Amino acid sequence: MSDEQDRPLRFLRSWALERRQRQAGDSDGEAHAPLAGYADFVLSFRHTGPAADAQAALEDVVKRLAHAGLSVEVRAAQCARRHGRSATFEAVAGQLLLFIECPRSRLEHEWSRSRLHDWLGGMVALRRGADGSLEVDSDAQDDPSRLIVHASDDPTAELISVSERQRLVQRLVTGAESEGGAAIGAADGVGAVVAMHDRRFNQRWLRHWGGKWLIDRQDLRRIREHFGDEVAMYFAFLQSYVLWLALPGAVGAAWWALGRSFSWQFGVLLVLWGVLFTETWARRQSDIATYWGVHGVERARESRRPEFRADRYVIDAATGERVPAFSGAQRWLRRLLGVPVVAALSLVMAVFIALIFALQTFLSEFYAGPFATVLGLAPVVLFSACLPAYTALCTRMAAALTNYENYEFEAEHAAQFTAKIFVFRFLQDQLYLFLTAWVFVPYRDVFGGWVHGAYSALSTDKAATLKFSATPAAELVQNMLTGFVVTSQLVGMATETGLPLVLRWWNSRSLAHASQVSTAAGNDHNHEASSISGTGNGHRHVLSNMLAVAPTGVDTWVESANDADAPADIQQQFVARVTEELALPEYTTFEDYAEMASQFGRVAFFSVAWPLAPLAALMNNWLELRTDAAKICSATRRPTPRRVESIGPWLDTLRFMCWLSSITNALLIYQFHSNCAFLPHADADAMQRFGRTSLSFALVVLLFSEHAFLAVRWAVTHVMASWPGAYARITERARAQSRRRWLDKAPSVLRDLAADTAGDLSQDAAGSLAADSDDASIGAGADWRAELELGCRAIACWGKPKAE
């Protein structure tokens, strides 16, 4: 074994000693100070060039981390290889692990800097009042020096939450050197900057959520403190979406039981439901951001993206410092250059989907030859095999175009990336259904003539292999929608959670076996295996994060070893598990939001055709709350905390879908509702095969429904505006208190001037005003009485005849 692997792992030793220390306890009951040596992040350093270049690159990375005030410990990455009943550990060629620790003093400085930056960016400092309610921290607002964090007298005191600590340390690692960071990125050979999972927290989290129907504020608070605002905001949105689906789910189930598809009443309910959900969520996310103290964080703009490249420097209006900037005109030019690229990719996707649709329609509606059932599955297989790969290509192109546009801050970058991806996702999720309802169904006879004509030119036995499309129009749309909703939900759940968990279990079998073999001699201590975890504040630390899989041999080493060396196999197992976790995919909320947006579109667009769609979405999302939690805990890396005050551009996406749903619902009801009193009568046979196909009347229905939607949304937004949100109430109360404090200190003349009525003026104030005035008539009581008497005489003369 190499000398490098024999060297004791400082993090492992510190964690194990603290564990023994806390288990033993103190006779006087006082808590121990936390031991130094915990890691906040692990960096995966890779280099494929010559050894000299790799050493130079590593030296540069380590020096920059040290210059940023961070401590570093380096280890070679390891993996476990299984050989029958035995297992060995091998170093991963070309990969090192850099354990990063941020000292408390550096963390205090960075936290103070972050709070001051928020204040300069216009964020309002909040605090809890004596009654527990939120209020503006007027002392900090008036004196920003109060935002500075000073060293605590109690070294064991928790400074900030786990997620806030990780956010600050991650900014030190990846932030620009001009802002005090190390500017570590992919260009430096660092493939990942990851915080290790706290498996004890993950187990408690999954166990707790598995035993309750709904999550509450305390659950969201724990998620926010552990994973950050972004993940907690996603779960808050998903919970709200689940609750709002209850209304259309219940009504839709009743309508389906009564056999009332394409009901105009249900269509109106769906449109109104969409407006109410989006607008109430806009208010709720603002209130959540206020309660979490991040309202205005996107306006304050945190550290610049490491990928941002400035072309000039400007003077910051708030601080007077020279800050990097990029020309807005040049960015717009880059946006325009990306428009034809996105349009071309979208056109290719639309053509591909149309071809798959044409093939499936031919095989399912017209083809009656050999292997018809088997061939009918070919379009589905082709769609499932090719479209995800092309969507991934479009996603990479959208990411490249957004990076080329060179946005300074993450919020702007995410909004533009989402706008590009939405086009591809919308075509992928909705175009198939649109083609079925408004292309094939109205013109099925035209398509049938083309198919029979083309087939007759190629074959002489068309009667034996072709048929005419006979599926009723409404049933065709319903079957297509049912298949899409059910299949997408089952496939999505399997690919997001099931498959990654199976693959990780399979890949970790050798590592688990190695842990069992290496600790077989220490079975006397194996009963403590499940209790090996971080204690106290240790849940943010690397070693305690390994919880349920920590090797039991640590107990033997801690109790028997007096030197600083841990057994080599213990360290190897730990490093191997860290290496395994670094190999997991990165977690982002983008895919989860995209999935919910696609589902929202199907529910809002086509539920009038299949009223059970909202109920199916409700059941899926109730499970999604749990499966997404399991995915975060087991199938992805630990999310890097990021502060957000909203769900970002996804709210605008949902609003757009609400507007479009007013059109799609109206057209579906017009086309397929058989006996609506205010719709034109149609022939029964034509209604069954095509539905109503009058384009002129359809245009009238479209315009009416859209304008009705705009009126409803205007009414809803104005009614909601009459009830101010939490942020408006708190800030207005703070402004009123600030004015009141100012008036208490102001001279009496100014206080009287600020009074509500002139009758509140004191005699002293009135006298002083009269004395200071150049007009002697002001304050002279006799003058105004005389003028009043003249006015009354004039009024008394009204209506009297003039004297001759």
Side-chain angles (χ1 to χ4, degrees):
M1 186 175 296
S2 65
D3 295 339
E4 192 275 343
Q5 294 305 322
D6 289 336
R7 182 165 56 92
L9 184 62
R10 178 164 54 94
F11 298 111
L12 183 61
R13 177 69 178 178
S14 299
W15 166 76
L17 287 176
E18 181 174 349
R19 176 180 175 273
R20 183 181 65 173
Q21 190 180 70
R22 291 185 179 276
Q23 283 181 342
D26 281 341
S27 58
D28 54 355
E30 295 180 359
H32 286 276
L35 298 174
Y38 288 112
D40 295 293
F41 281 90
V42 180
L43 275 62
S44 175
F45 177 83
R46 292 178 178 271
H47 204 287
T48 57
D53 294 342
Q55 291 172 352
L58 177 62
E59 181 181 2
D60 179 62
V61 169
V62 172
K63 283 184 177 180
R64 276 190 283 165
L65 290 171
H67 183 72
L70 302 172
S71 301
V72 185
E73 186 172 5
V74 182
R75 280 291 183 277
Q78 297 215 1
C79 63
R81 304 293 184 186
R82 184 174 181 178
H83 307 285
R85 298 183 58 84
S86 62
T88 59
F89 292 97
E90 299 177 2
V92 179
Q95 183 180 8
L96 297 176
L97 305 182
L98 279 65
F99 294 85
I100 307 301
E101 174 201 357
C102 182
R104 184 184 178 94
S105 58
R106 185 70 177 94
L107 186 65
E108 289 175 347
H109 176 272
E110 191 63 19
W111 192 29
S112 300
R113 179 176 174 274
S114 176
R115 299 180 70 191
L116 187 59
H117 182 84
D118 292 343
W119 182 83
L120 291 173
M123 288 182 63
V124 177
L126 301 176
R127 66 184 177 189
R128 291 287 176 183
D131 58 351
S133 61
L134 275 179
E135 62 182 25
V136 174
D137 189 347
S138 56
D139 295 334
Q141 288 295 112
D142 299 337
D143 183 10
S145 64
R146 295 177 178 270
L147 297 172
I148 306 301
V149 180
H150 300 285
S152 174
D153 295 333
D154 182 7
T156 66
E158 184 70 17
L159 183 64
I160 51 178
S161 67
V162 178
S163 61
E164 187 71 3
R165 176 188 178 98
Q166 290 181 352
R167 182 185 69 84
L168 295 175
V169 177
Q170 194 266 349
R171 190 165 71 175
L172 285 174
V173 174
T174 62
E177 292 185 79
S178 59
E179 299 177 355
I184 302 298
D188 303 301
V190 176
V193 180
V194 182
M196 292 294 98
H197 274 294
D198 180 348
R199 301 198 178 191
R200 184 182 185 184
F201 175 88
N202 291 349
Q203 288 181 346
R204 290 199 305 264
W205 179 24
L206 297 178
R207 191 181 304 114
H208 178 64
W209 279 24
K212 60 190 310 184
W213 286 97
L214 296 173
I215 61 176
D216 52 32
R217 290 184 178 180
Q218 293 299 320
D219 297 322
L220 293 176
R221 179 184 61 80
R222 295 187 190 99
I223 297 304
R224 175 176 178 258
E225 291 178 352
H226 194 76
F227 294 115
D229 301 324
E230 187 177 29
V231 176
M233 185 67 76
Y234 165 71
F235 280 108
F237 165 77
L238 186 54
Q239 168 84 342
S240 180
Y241 182 33
V242 168
L243 295 176
W244 271 92
L245 279 170
L247 175 61
V251 176
W255 251 241
W256 178 80
L258 297 174
R260 299 183 60 181
S261 299
F262 302 103
S263 166
W264 69 268
Q265 296 94 335
F266 190 50
V268 171
L269 174 66
L270 284 172
V271 174
L272 183 61
W273 167 81
V275 174
L276 289 173
F277 168 63
T278 53
E279 298 307 320
T280 54
W281 171 252
R283 168 65 61 82
R284 175 163 168 72
Q285 73 177 7
S286 176
D287 291 347
I288 289 175
T290 301
Y291 297 139
W292 290 354
V294 292
H295 196 287
V297 69
E298 294 174 3
R299 182 179 65 252
R301 297 186 173 184
E302 299 187 34
S303 296
R304 294 171 181 81
R305 299 175 59 246
E307 298 84 1
F308 173 70
R309 297 295 179 264
D311 62 353
R312 58 197 173 94
Y313 283 83
V314 298
I315 303 300
D316 187 272
T319 63
E321 298 176 340
R322 293 178 70 249
V323 295
F326 187 74
S327 171
Q330 189 172 354
R331 181 175 289 124
W332 270 107
L333 179 61
R334 294 187 178 188
R335 283 187 187 178
L336 293 176
L337 292 175
V339 170
V341 177
V342 175
L345 292 172
S346 302
L347 180 61
V348 171
M349 176 177 284
V351 171
F352 174 74
I353 294 175
L355 291 175
I356 296 294
F357 170 77
L359 178 60
Q360 182 177 11
T361 303
F362 168 73
L363 293 174
S364 61
E365 295 295 318
F366 298 104
Y367 182 71
F371 308 107
T373 303
V374 177
L375 290 176
L377 299 176
V380 177
V381 175
L382 189 62
F383 185 90
S384 303
C386 298
L387 194 60
Y390 184 75
T391 303
L393 173 63
C394 294
T395 302
R396 289 195 296 271
M397 291 296 297
L401 289 172
T402 309
N403 288 331
Y404 176 67
E405 292 166 8
N406 195 28
Y407 292 100
E408 187 174 2
F409 299 100
E410 187 62 35
E412 298 172 330
H413 182 273
Q416 294 301 320
F417 178 70
T418 302
K420 296 178 179 67
I421 290 298
F422 172 72
V423 178
F424 307 129
R425 291 299 183 105
F426 184 83
L427 293 175
Q428 177 183 341
D429 296 330
Q430 314 298 343
L431 183 58
Y432 222 86
L433 296 169
F434 287 177
L435 291 174
T436 301
W438 295 303
V439 176
F440 173 72
V441 168
Y443 304 104
R444 66 198 309 180
D445 282 353
V446 176
F447 287 107
W450 290 352
V451 170
H452 282 266
Y455 197 82
S456 62
L458 301 175
S459 174
T460 59
D461 192 18
K462 68 173 185 177
T465 55
L466 286 185
K467 61 181 179 180
F468 284 94
S469 176
T471 307
E475 183 180 340
L476 189 64
V477 175
Q478 290 171 335
N479 293 340
M480 187 70 69
L481 175 64
T482 304
F484 258 78
V485 170
V486 176
T487 303
S488 63
Q489 291 181 357
L490 293 178
V491 172
M493 192 170 298
T495 56
E496 281 188 7
T497 305
L499 183 60
L501 288 177
V502 171
L503 291 176
R504 189 180 183 192
W505 168 80
W506 180 261
N507 293 332
S508 63
R509 289 170 68 247
S510 58
L511 185 57
H513 184 75
S515 177
Q516 294 171 4
V517 171
S518 62
T519 58
N523 284 335
D524 291 341
H525 304 277
N526 283 350
H527 65 279
E528 298 184 84
S530 61
S531 66
I532 297 181
S533 60
T535 53
N537 295 332
H539 51 264
R540 69 170 174 265
H541 305 138
V542 165
L543 267 300
S544 61
N545 288 341
M546 303 315 295
L547 154 77
V549 294
T552 57
V554 171
D555 291 331
T556 306
W557 161 57
V558 170
E559 295 178 3
S560 61
N562 295 321
D563 59 335
D565 292 339
D569 57 346
I570 302 296
Q571 298 194 47
Q572 288 176 328
Q573 292 169 38
F574 170 71
V575 173
R577 291 199 181 276
V578 173
T579 306
E580 176 195 352
E581 195 163 315
L582 285 172
L584 294 175
E586 180 183 5
Y587 173 79
T588 64
T589 57
F590 176 84
E591 288 297 331
D592 290 330
Y593 278 127
E595 180 186 355
M596 290 299 105
S598 298
Q599 183 199 87
F600 180 86
R602 285 191 290 268
V603 169
F605 296 159
F606 299 105
S607 289
V608 290
W610 190 49
L612 285 180
L615 181 60
L618 171 63
M619 298 170 62
N620 173 82
N621 294 348
W622 186 86
L623 290 174
E624 190 82 15
L625 279 168
R626 281 81 184 162
T627 57
D628 282 346
K631 177 179 67 176
I632 292 174
C633 293
S634 304
T636 66
R637 301 173 192 163
R638 180 169 176 167
T640 299
R642 192 168 74 88
R643 294 196 300 176
V644 298
E645 60 176 321
S646 66
I647 63 174
W650 294 108
L651 180 59
D652 293 332
T653 301
L654 298 180
R655 283 171 168 163
F656 169 77
M657 289 184 174
C658 285
W659 167 78
L660 191 57
S661 71
S662 67
I663 298 174
T664 59
N665 280 287
L667 292 179
L668 286 172
I669 293 170
Y670 161 72
Q671 187 175 0
F672 298 113
H673 197 292
S674 57
N675 55 358
C676 186
F678 51 81
L679 291 177
H681 178 72
D683 179 72
D685 181 64
M687 192 70 190
Q688 182 180 17
R689 286 184 55 77
F690 314 109
R692 297 181 181 87
T693 56
S694 172
L695 293 179
S696 58
F697 205 93
L699 181 61
V700 173
V701 170
L702 183 152
L703 293 175
F704 174 80
S705 62
E706 186 207 16
H707 284 71
F709 167 82
L710 296 177
V712 169
R713 188 168 67 178
W714 178 87
V716 170
T717 54
H718 279 70
V719 169
M720 292 188 62
S722 61
W723 285 281
Y727 184 76
R729 295 195 304 269
I730 292 172
T731 53
E732 180 58 32
R733 185 165 60 246
R735 283 193 290 267
Q737 293 173 352
S738 177
R739 290 191 293 266
R740 192 177 304 115
R741 288 194 302 270
W742 179 83
L743 287 174
D744 291 340
K745 300 177 183 178
S748 59
V749 173
L750 294 179
R751 288 200 302 271
D752 291 332
L753 283 175
D756 290 338
T757 62
D760 292 336
L761 284 173
S762 62
Q763 293 297 327
D764 294 340
S768 62
L769 287 174
D772 293 340
S773 175
D774 294 335
D775 189 353
S777 65
I778 296 179
D783 289 343
W784 70 265
R785 290 186 177 88
E787 298 299 325
L788 176 61
E789 183 177 356
L790 288 174
C792 291
R793 291 176 183 176
I795 293 174
C797 294
W798 290 353
K800 292 183 178 181
K802 294 183 178 180
E804 296 295 336

